[in-house]
Amino acid sequence: MTLVHGIYAVTDKKIHEPPKKESAILIAAKNGVTEIVDKILELFPVAIHDMNVDKKNIVLLAVENRQPHVYRYLHKRNILVDSVFRKVDKDGNSALHLAAKLGDYKPWLIPGAALQMQWEIKWYEFVKDSMPPHFFPRCNKAGKTAKDMFTETHQELVNNGGEWLTNTSESCSVVAALIATVAFSTASTFPGGIKQDSGTPTLENQPAFDVFAISSLVALSFSVTSLIMFLSILTSRYQERDFGRDLPRKLLVGLTSLFVSIASILLSFCAGHFFVLKDKLKYAAFPVYTVTCLPITFFAVAQFPLYFDLIWTTFKKVPQRSYKVVL
């Protein structure tokens, strides 16, 4: 604690002047070390006024470097809101301007430009909603609003996100269309045929027949739902606001429906094929069914990381920065 005391054992005049180098609290806020920020403010409350050579204080650095934990901690303390949260840097950028600006770094280490764009929107909206309306200055010294800066700096990410969504939707829609075709054909064909006198399925009282009929209907319904979701993504205009909720939710519903339809069509195949084999081969066919299900298992394992990231980014209100070291 001697080092911290030495850093902040300064005069009042020096506290309010922009230091030549970043102080300890500014470095901690920039790197997301909330514990150090808390300890310094506990010992030296005046450190809240520290600024670097660009006139950025602790709040501006936390927002610019996408540090949700530090920003929420400062907001929760609710101290000196007007004098600290209203500060602007040497270019007149407020905290909302810096939240809207996309730098060269990519703090959200998640796959897919569309998901990165989603969290950029959530971070901007979180900073905007954390303060009362009209709290931040509208324009910086260049005459740009925070919205203008967001559009300007995120254009490339929007294009990459749209391209990523298009490629993903095209691939998945082909699979969904094939499953829908097979499911429709399967649902209209009953194993064992139909009784001529009554027109009812011959094997309707068999448990496996119920599994076949239900799984075929489920496969058809969910494959069509998946196809509609992916087609709606392909026909989207890929506007900035669409990446916030609309497109990720459509992708989530589409992938969920696709997984369910694939599993259902495999179950339908196994149940229908069960009647074809003779009684003595029925139980020997189970290993064959297991091998048949391996492709969907491999596909699911490969897609689940993306699926879970999509769920996480969709339902998480405040984006979480990754602190993994990338070599």
Side-chain angles (χ1 to χ4, degrees):
M1 201 56 63
T2 305
L3 177 60
V4 177
H5 278 80
I7 294 174
Y8 289 100
V10 293
T11 63
D12 291 341
K13 181 179 179 182
K14 189 174 181 180
I15 289 174
H16 295 285
E17 291 180 352
K20 295 301 179 182
K21 296 182 180 180
E22 290 185 345
S23 61
I25 192 171
L26 296 180
I27 296 175
K30 186 176 181 179
N31 292 277
V33 189
T34 312
E35 295 80 6
I36 295 181
V37 173
D38 176 61
K39 196 63 178 179
I40 292 177
L41 290 180
E42 179 184 343
L43 297 173
F44 304 98
V46 292
I48 195 70
H49 298 288
D50 283 8
M51 292 184 293
N52 63 8
V53 293
D54 295 324
K55 298 184 66 175
K56 294 178 181 178
N57 64 359
I58 183 175
V59 174
L60 296 179
L61 287 175
V63 172
E64 181 182 36
N65 291 276
R66 271 59 171 169
Q67 301 295 353
H69 297 296
V70 176
Y71 184 81
R72 296 182 76 174
Y73 163 77
L74 295 173
H75 188 265
K76 186 177 181 181
R77 284 179 65 103
N78 197 27
I79 55 172
L80 303 174
V81 172
D82 286 340
S83 59
V84 176
F85 281 80
R86 281 188 180 271
K87 286 289 185 181
V88 295
D89 63 10
K90 66 177 184 179
D91 297 320
N93 293 317
S94 65
L96 189 59
H97 283 89
L98 296 178
K101 183 180 179 181
L102 179 64
D104 297 331
Y105 51 86
K106 297 294 187 293
W108 320 123
L109 297 182
I110 50 179
L115 301 187
Q116 294 181 19
M117 185 63 189
Q118 183 186 22
W119 270 15
E120 281 292 306
I121 293 176
K122 286 195 173 186
W123 177 240
Y124 174 78
E125 291 179 346
F126 172 70
V127 175
K128 181 180 179 181
D129 297 338
S130 65
M131 293 298 165
H134 311 296
F135 180 85
F136 299 110
R138 180 173 175 81
C139 298
N140 58 13
K141 291 183 179 179
K144 295 181 180 180
T145 64
K147 182 62 176 177
D148 295 335
M149 186 173 292
F150 188 94
T151 301
E152 179 181 330
T153 59
H154 287 82
Q155 187 60 48
E156 182 179 357
L157 190 60
V158 170
N159 295 335
N160 294 336
E163 183 179 353
W164 180 81
L165 280 175
T166 298
N167 295 334
T168 303
S169 300
E170 286 179 348
S171 302
C172 293
S173 60
V174 171
V175 178
L178 291 175
I179 294 176
T181 303
V182 175
F184 179 79
S185 176
T186 303
S188 59
T189 304
F190 300 108
I194 299 176
K195 297 178 182 178
Q196 297 295 330
D197 54 345
S198 61
T200 58
T202 305
L203 304 173
E204 62 177 342
N205 295 324
Q206 298 292 330
F209 180 82
D210 295 334
V211 174
F212 167 82
I214 295 175
S215 59
S216 298
L217 180 60
V218 170
L220 178 60
S221 300
F222 278 89
S223 61
V224 172
T225 301
S226 177
L227 182 60
I228 292 174
M229 288 295 104
F230 291 126
L231 289 178
S232 65
I233 293 176
L234 290 174
T235 56
S236 175
R237 296 174 298 174
Y238 297 121
Q239 299 294 314
E240 293 173 7
R241 60 180 180 273
D242 296 335
F243 287 88
R245 295 179 179 86
D246 185 54
L247 291 176
R249 289 181 180 179
K250 287 180 179 178
L251 182 59
L252 180 60
V253 174
L255 286 176
T256 302
S257 301
L258 182 61
F259 289 147
V260 174
S261 63
I262 293 176
S264 299
I265 200 65
L266 287 176
L267 182 60
S268 174
F269 164 77
C270 294
H273 195 264
F274 190 78
F275 296 107
V276 179
L277 302 177
K278 295 181 180 179
D279 293 340
K280 60 181 180 180
L281 296 178
K282 282 185 177 181
Y283 297 103
F286 287 124
V288 178
Y289 298 153
T290 303
V291 174
T292 304
C293 294
L294 285 179
I296 180 57
T297 303
F298 292 147
F299 177 79
V301 171
Q303 297 298 323
F304 270 164
L306 169 62
Y307 186 70
F308 288 136
D309 284 335
L310 186 60
I311 294 177
W312 189 34
T313 56
T314 300
F315 293 101
K316 196 75 174 178
K317 183 177 180 181
V318 182
Q320 298 298 310
R321 177 182 172 128
S322 175
Y323 294 93
K324 296 179 180 179
V325 178
V326 181
L327 300 177

